[in-house]
Amino acid sequence: MSVNNKRVFYVKYLAHDIYKEILGARPDVRLDRLENESPAAEFDPILSAAHAYQIGAARDELAPHFHVNRDLLKRTPNLLIVSSNGAGFDPVDVEACTEAGVVVVNQSGGNANSVAEHALGMILSLAKRIVDVDKALRRDQTFERTAYKGTEVFGKTIGIIGIGNVGTKLSTMCRAALGMTVLAYDPYLGDNEIAARGAKKVELEQLLKQSDFVSINCPLTKESRGMIGEAQLAMMKPGAMLITTARGSIHDETALAAALQSGHIAGAGLDVWEKEPPPHDHPLMAFDNVFVSPHTAGVTADARRNIARIAAEQMVATLAGERPPRIINPEVWPAYAKRFAREFGRAPG
C-alpha cells in the first residue's frame, strides 16, 4: 500500500478547518473534497477508493446522490466509516450501513452548550415577547407598551423530550438560572439516570400536560418521527409554549399551526423544519408568536470548532484501529471488524 493508504472524503464543507489540520498531520491519511456539483468522472474514483466519509449533518444541504443509502454503499465497496458533522445524521441510512458492515458515528455533545443556550434564548424571547415588541417598536408610529405583556419564566415547569447531551445542559441552565422544575421524557434512560441529569422521569402525556414550556431535544429516528402531532399538541397545557432545536419531522408543522391559530399554544420557537430553510410563505412564519431560526442553534464559532476537532480525533483513532466512542450502530462491530482486518491487515481494538 502507498503511504496515503487511508482515504477520507467529504462534500462541500467541514465544520471547521481544524479537521483538515488534524488529518493533514497524519501521513497515512488522504483527505479529498467533493462538491455537490462534482461530475461522476471526478467523484466515482474517490468513492470507490474511500474508507471513510465525513458527511454533513443537514440533509437539505447535501445533494441526494451523496446521501448514504444502499445506492451509495454499492459505489463505495471499501467504505468502513461514516462520520456525521454533528450530533444528527439525517442523510445516513443507518440500517443500510449496518447491513453493509459500515460503522456510523456522530459528534454528540460537541455543540451541546450552543444548542441548549439557543433553546433557552427562545424560551426567554417568547415569554418576554422580546422579538415581538422589537418589531412593533420599529414598525408602529404609536406604541402602547402595556399591550405587550410577557410572562415570567422563573419557577415554571419545563418538559424536556430527550435528555441527552443538549437536554442535560438545558436542564442545568433552567434549574440553576431560573429555578425551574424539570420533567423529562426519555424511554432510553431510567429514573436514576434522569434524576442525575436534574429532572424527573415522566411519560410523554404527563410531560405535555404539566409543562409550561416543552423543549424537543431528541434525535430524529423511526420512533420519534411524527411524535408530536395533533393529539400531543392538544394534550399540552393551555398557554404553554413549544421549543424545538432537534430535527424537523419530529413535530407536525400543520398541526402546530392549527394549535397556534386556535390559541391553545401560546407560542413556539422553531430552529428546525421539514424543509430547510423553510420558504418565506411557510404558514408558521405568519405568526408573531413564533420565533424562527434556520437550524442555526449549533452554528457558533465555539461549537463548530469543537465538533470538527472531535470528528477529526475520532476519525484518526478509528482508522488506527480503535473503537470509536460515539457509535450509532454498535451491533455492526463484528462485521465491521472483519472488513477492517481484510482492508488493513489487522483487527481493530
Side-chain angles (χ1 to χ4, degrees):
M1 293 185 180
S2 64
V3 173
N4 291 325
N5 61 349
K6 295 170 184 175
R7 302 284 296 271
V8 182
F9 79 97
Y10 67 99
V11 179
K12 189 176 178 180
Y13 72 94
L14 295 164
H16 189 278
D17 280 350
I18 194 172
Y19 186 95
K20 290 189 285 187
E21 294 171 14
I22 292 173
L23 263 67
R26 304 287 305 194
D28 59 335
V29 177
R30 169 175 165 174
L31 180 63
D32 291 302
R33 172 176 176 166
L34 293 170
E35 302 293 341
N36 277 331
E37 303 80 14
S38 295
E42 179 182 347
F43 69 68
D44 273 341
I46 291 174
L47 265 60
S48 65
H51 298 113
Y53 181 5
Q54 187 65 48
I55 189 171
R59 61 186 180 276
D60 293 323
E61 293 180 356
L62 192 65
H65 59 275
F66 286 128
H67 288 207
V68 178
N69 50 33
R70 285 177 172 81
D71 180 62
L72 183 133
L73 290 167
K74 290 176 183 176
R75 293 182 286 141
T76 52
N78 300 311
L79 193 68
L80 294 165
I81 307 155
V82 174
S83 172
S84 168
N85 276 345
F89 41 90
D90 294 12
V92 181
D93 183 336
V94 178
E95 185 176 301
C97 287
T98 302
E99 291 174 3
V102 175
V103 162
V104 180
V105 300
N106 70 353
Q107 320 314 321
S108 58
N111 63 3
N113 284 331
S114 292
V115 177
E117 287 174 1
H118 195 94
L120 183 57
M122 283 182 155
I123 290 169
L124 292 169
S125 296
L126 286 165
K128 305 294 290 182
R129 301 187 66 179
I130 291 172
V131 174
D132 195 12
V133 76
D134 175 89
K135 291 178 180 177
L137 186 59
R138 295 171 187 273
R139 179 186 65 231
D140 300 338
Q141 294 297 319
T142 59
F143 185 82
E144 178 53 60
R145 63 191 180 95
T146 57
Y148 292 89
K149 293 186 183 75
T151 184
E152 291 185 353
V153 178
F154 191 90
K156 299 290 175 63
T157 297
I158 181 168
I160 297 176
I161 299 174
I163 191 161
N165 289 293
V166 174
T168 300
K169 293 285 186 183
L170 182 59
S171 171
T172 300
M173 293 174 185
C174 288
R175 286 184 297 107
L178 295 164
M180 299 182 80
T181 296
V182 184
L183 306 178
Y185 169 69
D186 196 319
Y188 304 103
L189 297 174
D191 292 20
N192 292 338
E193 291 172 293
I194 288 179
R197 301 178 188 204
K200 177 184 177 182
K201 181 178 174 69
V202 295
E203 293 303 315
L204 181 59
E205 182 174 350
Q206 183 181 351
L207 181 148
L208 295 170
K209 288 181 175 179
Q210 296 183 3
S211 299
D212 300 293
F213 302 91
V214 173
S215 179
I216 304 174
N217 298 105
C218 60
L220 177 62
T221 64
K222 290 179 179 179
E223 291 74 25
S224 66
R225 184 178 293 275
M227 179 171 59
I228 304 300
E230 181 180 358
Q232 290 73 32
L233 292 167
M235 291 178 193
M236 285 179 64
K237 193 174 180 180
M241 298 182 181
L242 179 72
I243 311 295
T244 180
T245 52
R247 281 295 187 272
S249 301
I250 293 175
H251 68 282
D252 184 320
E253 293 179 350
T254 301
L256 178 58
L260 288 160
Q261 185 66 48
S262 71
H264 180 68
I265 304 296
L270 308 175
D271 183 55
V272 291
W273 306 80
E274 289 181 10
K275 174 67 177 175
E276 296 179 349
H280 289 147
D281 61 351
H282 192 292
L284 287 167
M285 294 281 200
F287 293 93
D288 289 336
N289 57 341
V290 174
F291 185 102
V292 300
S293 54
H295 205 154
T296 54
V299 184
T300 65
D302 310 86
R304 301 302 276 182
R305 181 182 178 87
N306 197 35
I307 282 175
R309 178 187 57 77
I310 292 171
E313 290 173 352
Q314 183 167 232
M315 180 65 76
V316 167
T318 306
L319 288 172
E322 297 179 23
R323 186 183 177 101
R326 296 174 175 84
I327 303 179
I328 301 301
N329 57 340
E331 67 276 15
V332 79
W333 192 257
Y336 163 81
K338 291 178 182 178
R339 296 185 66 237
F340 186 98
R342 284 199 301 267
E343 185 66 26
F344 297 123
R346 62 185 182 86

